[in-house]
Amino acid sequence: MNADLERLIALQKLDTAARDAEQRLADEPERLKALDAQLEAARQLAATTKQHLADNQHARRAIEKDVAVQQGRLSKFRDQAMAVKTNQEYHAIQHEMAFAQGEIKNLEDRILELMVDADELTAVAKRAEASLTTDQKSIDAEKRALVVEQEELKGRLERLGAERATLVAAIDPHMLALFELVSRRRHGVAVAEARDGICTICHVRLRPQVFNTIRRNEEILQCDTCQRILYFVPQPVPDVTQSAGSENVHH
Ligand SMILES: [Zn+2]
């Protein structure tokens, strides 16, 4: 293979790897934000479910006070019933007592409902609290992994930069200038594989004569359409001795 072509392919590999590392580094703040948002949502859910349970208990205590008030009225009416002089007064007190008993019944029904709700709310709050604990642990771990990855990516970029400097020093300046020009115009990808007569990046069919030249990998040739420098990867020659002995060869 043409030595410059080989170096340009290697240079493209370094540039692509550096671009990936830079992209991942650039994505890290977003990933961190997403983790924080996930944790905040879990916190909110735990707080909300806890609040619902507290509201339920608060409502129950308020109703229990109302029950006590009605029971106080009922016992006052019972005392009064002992002391009534007329039938009319007696019926009036009976009416009040029936009303208070009705109220107590309604309030106690409501308490029962609240107690049933409380069981469900307690379970929901427990689940939310447990998943908050789990999320906290996993998110902490993911954040630590992000920090490690960040360091790793920075180190990788440094190494790639050093390798690039060494490689670039060995490339013919004209070839390097061509590479940089195409790279700038083609979003950082200046080199493309030609396969089955096609430029694998822009997918345009190459002239057969051009493709035949590229197959030899002895010249720096560009795709007519995207201008990328083209190279060819020879297909591995099938191992005849092995496939002859294998099954399913004859149909
Ligand atoms: Zn092309």
Side-chain angles (χ1 to χ4, degrees), residues 215 232-244:
R215 284 174 71 104
F232 180 75
V233 181
Q235 295 304 305
V237 180
D239 192 333
V240 182
T241 51
Q242 270 196 7
S243 60

Side-chain angles (χ1 to χ4, degrees), residues 72 84 88 150 181:
V84 289
Q88 204 182 359
Q150 196 171 39
L181 177 71

Side-chain angles (χ1 to χ4, degrees), residues 186 192-193 198-206 222-230:
R186 295 293 170 192
E193 183 191 343
I198 286 170
C199 164
T200 55
I201 296 191
C202 77
H203 303 293
V204 166
R205 184 159 291 280
L206 306 160
Q222 292 171 266
C223 170
D224 282 341
T225 309
C226 71
Q227 311 301 317
R228 289 187 177 93
I229 299 153
L230 295 166

Side-chain angles (χ1 to χ4, degrees), residues 69-84:
V69 168
Q70 292 298 336
Q71 274 165 345
R73 290 184 69 208
L74 201 56
S75 85
K76 196 184 76 187
F77 290 138
R78 279 199 189 103
D79 290 346
Q80 285 175 359
M82 309 280 204
V84 289

Side-chain angles (χ1 to χ4, degrees), residues 93-107:
I93 285 175
Q94 286 293 315
H95 180 76
E96 292 286 357
M97 284 170 72
F99 181 76
Q101 277 163 339
E103 283 291 286
I104 289 167
K105 166 98 178 51
N106 288 341
L107 292 168

Side-chain angles (χ1 to χ4, degrees), residues 54-124:
D55 290 348
N56 171 287
Q57 285 160 345
H58 185 80
R60 182 176 158 186
R61 278 194 295 276
I63 294 171
E64 280 168 349
K65 271 183 197 159
D66 290 347
V67 170
V69 168
Q70 292 298 336
Q71 274 165 345
R73 290 184 69 208
L74 201 56
S75 85
K76 196 184 76 187
F77 290 138
R78 279 199 189 103
D79 290 346
Q80 285 175 359
M82 309 280 204
V84 289
K85 305 267 186 323
T86 66
N87 244 352
Q88 204 182 359
E89 276 178 324
Y90 181 75
H91 282 302
I93 285 175
Q94 286 293 315
H95 180 76
E96 292 286 357
M97 284 170 72
F99 181 76
Q101 277 163 339
E103 283 291 286
I104 289 167
K105 166 98 178 51
N106 288 341
L107 292 168
E108 281 172 348
D109 285 350
R110 183 76 193 113
I111 288 171
L112 268 177
E113 281 172 26
L114 285 169
M115 285 167 76
V116 171
D117 288 350
D119 287 346
E120 175 68 17
L121 291 172
T122 303
V124 168

